Amino acid sequence: MSQRLLVVDDDAAVTSLLRRGFSYEGYRVTVAASGEEALRLARDQPTDLVVLDIMMPGIDGIEVCRQLRAADPTIPILLLTARDAPSDQVAGLDSGADDYVTKPFSFEVLNARVRALLRRRLAAAPEVLRYADLEVDTGARIADRRGRAIELTTTEFNLLSLFLLHPRQVLSKDQIMERVWGYDFGGEANIVEVYVHSLRRKLEAGAEPRLIQTIRGAGYTLREEPGS
């Protein structure tokens, strides 16, 4: 059975374009013109992924994302946004989004993001990953540090799992983009920094020492700080 996408945007030209494009790619596509309609449709029918515009009248995309995430912690949510400032991107991630694409966008890039999110949902066999005081159950999709549960979006979870699979190894931005997002690095060049920042904030919310280190000019690594 083909996968179902829910496309949410108050611009009829955008929803018409995406309905045609995704239908051609073999998806079943449902569209909504408002946040209220999106929440109703998501509640009434199974949905495999949501493409969600942020700027909408009434209930905006950020609030829709929060409510969708509260109802289903596993559903992939991709935000469409005309705002590209880091603070706006962080706000989207904090609401529970897994990825974002800035407007104007190419359908080819958006389609690649959708494919990657859906592919990542079909995760590998469950496995418990550990490093220092951090533990991640990839089957139950639970992260824990010193007994403190850490709520993560799908993308944050996959990024953390990547670090745990390669402790003390320096991963370049290109490697992270390819392995987490599933497409070549490009477009929003700061997407890796945004997700690392968000992940660090959650991992260190209990005043724990930093585990994800920046290696200037090379990338990032999961490594305990000296003396910790």
Side-chain angles (χ1 to χ4, degrees), residues 122-134:
L122 301 175
E127 182 179 7
V128 176
L129 304 173
R130 298 181 180 88
Y131 181 79
D133 56 6
L134 179 64

Side-chain angles (χ1 to χ4, degrees), residues 179-227:
R179 298 182 192 185
V180 174
W181 278 265
Y183 48 81
D184 292 337
F185 185 73
E188 289 84 14
N190 66 342
I191 189 172
V192 174
E193 290 95 328
V194 169
Y195 275 89
V196 167
H197 172 79
S198 179
L199 191 54
R200 279 173 170 165
R201 188 162 45 80
K202 293 183 178 183
L203 291 178
E204 300 165 17
E208 297 92 345
R210 175 155 296 178
L211 286 180
I212 301 176
Q213 316 296 339
T214 299
I215 308 301
R216 190 174 298 277
Y220 300 96
T221 184
L222 184 69
R223 181 185 302 165
E224 291 184 274
E225 293 180 313

Side-chain angles (χ1 to χ4, degrees), residues 25-92:
E25 294 293 326
Y27 299 107
R28 293 176 296 157
V29 183
T30 303
V31 301
S34 69
E36 293 86 349
E37 184 181 11
L39 292 171
R40 178 180 58 81
L41 289 171
R43 181 180 64 249
D44 293 344
Q45 62 187 21
T47 301
D48 295 296
L49 181 142
V50 180
V51 178
L52 176 63
D53 184 40
I54 289 181
M55 299 296 292
M56 294 186 295
I59 303 178
D60 66 11
I62 296 295
E63 180 58 28
V64 172
C65 185
R66 290 193 185 101
Q67 294 192 34
L68 289 175
R69 179 61 65 224
D72 183 352
T74 68
I75 187 172
I77 301 173
L78 188 152
L79 292 180
L80 299 178
T81 176
R83 301 175 175 177
D84 58 2
S87 60
D88 295 314
Q89 297 161 7
V90 169

